[in-house]
Amino acid sequence: MDNFSTWVSDQDISIQYLYTKYLKQNPDVELQKRIALEGYGKYLLSQQKSDGHWGKYYYQPKWTSTHYTLLQLKDCGVSPDTSACRNILYSMFEECQLPEGGLNLAKSDMKSDICVDGMILNYASYFLPEYEKLEPLVASILQKQKSDGGFTWYDQNEGDPHSTICVLEGLRSFLASTKDEALKSKVKAAIQRGIDYFYQHQLFLEEKK
């Protein structure tokens, strides 16, 4: 462990912070404050344009867009009160949330993508835990859970692993932020059904050779 701690101390500041949060279970707040000022976090934030976007729009081009950059910043552990992230998220919900609660991040007229909605819920619950527009998004996601407990495209009958993981991560993030006990109960039930989906399909087992 001493050798590992030494190795961590030489890594990006975000890695150092995540080590204290997840392995030591004692988040170092001072390290977290430095993420926006050093290394990966500073670089990602520096790429934001004057209109608040990364890339061209919320989902264009895909991997360097606003959507995926917000997810990366959240995963890096940047402080949840980072104004650059909070402000563009307010714009995202105002511009992209559909009447049914999901979000369409494309410029074309289309339904929301459950996988993308799960990722949005993941980082939006982190940066905007108090935002009232999260609940309609959660309600939309819960309504789309398949009979097998998984999640996938709206026109499919069974869940798929990737979409299900993205949604479960979002629901867990929301669960940590909401104070609505009745909604918490519904979210916990949906999460358990999602976990059962993986058990049912034995996706937790290594294939024997």
Side-chain angles (χ1 to χ4, degrees), residues 16-34:
Q16 295 180 46
Y17 167 70
L18 295 174
Y19 168 64
T20 68
K21 180 179 180 179
Y22 292 115
L23 294 184
K24 299 183 72 174
Q25 298 187 336
N26 184 26
D28 188 322
V29 178
E30 294 306 313
L31 283 177
Q32 186 179 34
K33 291 178 180 177
R34 292 168 53 191

Side-chain angles (χ1 to χ4, degrees), residues 91-157:
S91 297
M92 179 188 291
F93 275 86
E94 289 298 324
E95 296 174 20
C96 303
Q97 190 162 33
L98 302 172
E100 51 89 13
L103 281 80
N104 171 20
L105 301 189
K107 291 186 176 181
S108 57
D109 184 15
M110 59 186 294
K111 296 181 180 180
S112 66
D113 181 327
I114 189 66
C115 185
V116 174
D117 279 348
M119 288 186 276
I120 294 172
L121 182 62
N122 186 358
Y123 56 72
S125 297
Y126 180 78
F127 290 116
L128 299 177
E130 76 289 351
Y131 199 31
E132 67 274 8
K133 290 183 179 290
L134 294 182
E135 291 194 8
L137 173 56
V138 172
S140 172
I141 288 173
L142 295 182
Q143 290 176 355
K144 296 173 184 175
Q145 190 165 27
K146 303 300 180 180
S147 59
D148 62 2
F151 294 87
T152 192
W153 283 84
Y154 53 85
D155 57 352
Q156 301 296 314
N157 295 322

